[in-house]
Amino acid sequence: MPFAQLVIGPPGSGKSTYCDGMQQFMSAIGRKCSVVNLDPANDHTSYPCAIDVRNLITLEEIMDDDELGPNGAVLYALEELEENWEWLEKGLKGLGEDYVLFDCPGQVEIFTHHSSLRNIFFRIQKLGLTLPSLYISTLLLSLRAMLQMDLPHLNVLTKIDKLSSYSPLPFNLDYYTEVQDLSYLLPHLADENPAIGNAKFEGLNKAIIDLVEDFGLVGFETLAVENKKSMMTLLHAIDRAGGYAFGGAEGANDTVWQVAMRDGMRMMDVRDVQERWLDRKEEFDEKERLALEEEAKAREAPSLVSDAGEEEEEDDVDEIEEMRRNFAGDSGIKVVRRDR
């Protein structure tokens, strides 16, 4: 397990959906990937679990035996997992060189001040929003998690494809992903709730904003989990943050998708995300629908190969070879001629 992602976030933020989508995407591009469920309350995972903490201990057992509530039971389960580290270590070693996704519990205290999850991840390492007040809260939580975990860290604004169904953002998307001058949000805090914007809380709001800006650590990637290009862009950023881009096991005979992931071809920046999911969402949705219909028709149509088609294919191979010779560095594409 040379590379992994630790997927953390509050309840309902899409952690399990992300793990499911990322596992499917990695499988599609030929990268071996396994998902580890560390949430003892998650008894209906949408992905196949390579390791499931519920095989060690369940939330229901803890609540019944120790008379704890749900949050206390999750903390107890993580402490139990830390005590039984050998069980997790044995399971991880059995995954070999797989890229691993850790689906973590949603209780925020486990990655803000409780130490068990942090200790578990350090052991593993020795062997990856429309209301202003919610955005500020997310910034503070992300900053605290980054400082507490002390690991390569990416913050992700998930469900970006649903953003257009909410009230319009006061600023363009890049304002939020790049965490630009937060003082511009102060008037919008007052508009959202007069109680937040009154003099009693004005000093607190300004102090929180100054704290986030002084550290200058927090930024966000975006994700629409069912969109292939969005997933590829995020995985590329994760690969760079975790070091996979500089030391992965992908070789010279990779598929075009694998080459794209390694070389960063056609990545989406925040302006592309703004255009795709906010400014021109309906237009792009229609284009994708038509493209899918064309693909479906092409699969259903009989495959007819003519001599002219063979000559065109030969020309395409020659063009690819020419591109490969002119490409800076090894692109990873290997062209193989077949005798006809």
Side-chain angles (χ1 to χ4, degrees):
M1 187 204 65
F3 298 96
Q5 295 178 34
L6 317 176
V7 185
I8 62 177
S13 59
K15 297 184 298 298
S16 295
T17 303
Y18 168 81
C19 288
D20 184 25
M22 182 60 76
Q23 193 271 340
Q24 293 182 41
F25 183 78
M26 287 190 179
S27 297
I29 66 172
R31 187 183 299 183
K32 292 183 178 180
C33 176
S34 297
V35 185
V36 176
N37 177 37
L38 295 183
D39 187 356
N42 189 1
D43 56 350
H44 291 94
T45 57
S46 55
Y47 49 79
C49 284
I51 303 174
D52 192 344
V53 70
R54 291 179 60 85
N55 293 331
L56 175 68
I57 190 168
T58 66
L59 199 70
E60 295 78 12
E61 291 174 351
I62 299 172
M63 294 175 66
D64 291 341
D65 296 344
D66 298 277
E67 298 183 353
L68 294 173
N71 284 6
V74 169
L75 299 182
Y76 183 96
L78 289 177
E79 292 172 358
E80 187 73 15
L81 179 61
E82 184 182 3
E83 287 295 320
N84 292 272
W85 161 251
E86 294 79 9
W87 176 85
L88 180 59
E89 182 181 27
K90 180 180 179 181
L92 292 175
K93 287 181 177 179
L95 299 181
E97 297 297 307
D98 284 14
Y99 194 114
V100 180
L101 306 174
F102 290 93
D103 188 5
C104 301
Q107 282 71 12
V108 295
E109 55 265 37
I110 68 171
F111 52 89
T112 57
H113 59 270
H114 193 263
S115 62
S116 288
L117 191 64
R118 180 173 184 265
N119 295 339
I120 292 169
F121 287 152
F122 274 149
R123 288 188 176 185
I124 292 173
Q125 192 178 32
K126 293 178 181 178
L127 301 176
L129 237 139
T130 61
L131 293 177
S133 60
L134 292 180
Y135 177 65
I136 296 297
S137 171
T138 300
L139 287 174
L140 193 61
L141 178 60
S142 299
L143 176 61
R144 184 66 187 93
M146 294 173 78
L147 297 175
Q148 169 74 7
M149 300 306 294
D150 194 24
L151 292 167
H153 193 112
L154 277 181
N155 303 299
V156 183
L157 295 176
T158 61
K159 305 180 182 179
I160 205 71
D161 50 324
K162 308 296 183 185
L163 194 57
S164 60
S165 61
Y166 293 89
S167 56
L169 296 172
F171 307 104
N172 283 340
L173 191 59
D174 60 347
Y175 175 87
Y176 301 92
T177 59
E178 297 171 6
V179 192
Q180 298 174 9
D181 190 347
L182 296 176
S183 62
Y184 287 104
L185 279 180
L186 290 175
H188 295 281
L189 285 171
D191 293 340
E192 176 192 332
N193 188 336
I196 298 177
N198 66 23
K200 181 179 180 181
F201 292 100
E202 185 177 355
L204 176 61
N205 295 337
K206 186 66 168 61
I208 292 174
I209 285 174
D210 289 343
L211 176 67
V212 173
E213 291 184 335
D214 287 346
F215 275 97
L217 294 176
V218 184
F220 292 94
E221 302 292 332
T222 61
L223 175 65
V225 73
E226 295 182 355
N227 184 270
K228 184 163 53 179
K229 197 168 184 179
S230 177
M231 184 69 81
M232 183 172 67
T233 300
L234 178 60
L235 182 56
H236 180 71
I238 293 170
D239 285 349
R240 294 186 65 84
Y244 191 96
F246 310 105
E250 297 172 20
N253 292 319
D254 290 345
T255 64
V256 172
W257 275 108
Q258 290 169 305
V259 174
M261 285 308 310
R262 186 171 58 252
D263 295 340
M265 296 167 61
R266 296 183 181 179
M267 295 296 113
M268 297 177 72
D269 63 19
V270 68
R271 291 167 296 182
D272 298 323
V273 176
Q274 172 89 29
E275 182 180 38
R276 170 63 183 89
W277 299 112
L278 292 175
D279 299 341
R280 300 169 57 194
K281 184 179 186 298
E282 293 182 359
E283 179 182 341
F284 276 93
D285 285 346
E286 180 65 15
K287 285 182 178 179
E288 289 187 0
R289 185 186 67 79
L290 293 175
L292 289 173
E293 289 180 357
E294 290 296 325
E295 289 180 10
K297 290 178 181 178
R299 285 195 297 267
E300 293 172 359
S303 177
L304 300 176
V305 181
S306 64
D307 293 339
E310 292 178 1
E311 292 176 1
E312 290 178 1
E313 186 174 335
E314 289 293 333
D315 291 339
D316 291 341
V317 171
D318 292 337
E319 288 180 9
I320 293 174
E321 287 184 324
E322 182 66 23
M323 290 172 59
R324 180 172 60 85
R325 286 194 294 268
N326 295 330
F327 198 89
D330 181 13
S331 69
I333 298 176
K334 181 179 180 180
V335 179
V336 179
R337 289 184 179 274
R338 291 180 296 178
D339 295 333
R340 298 187 177 277

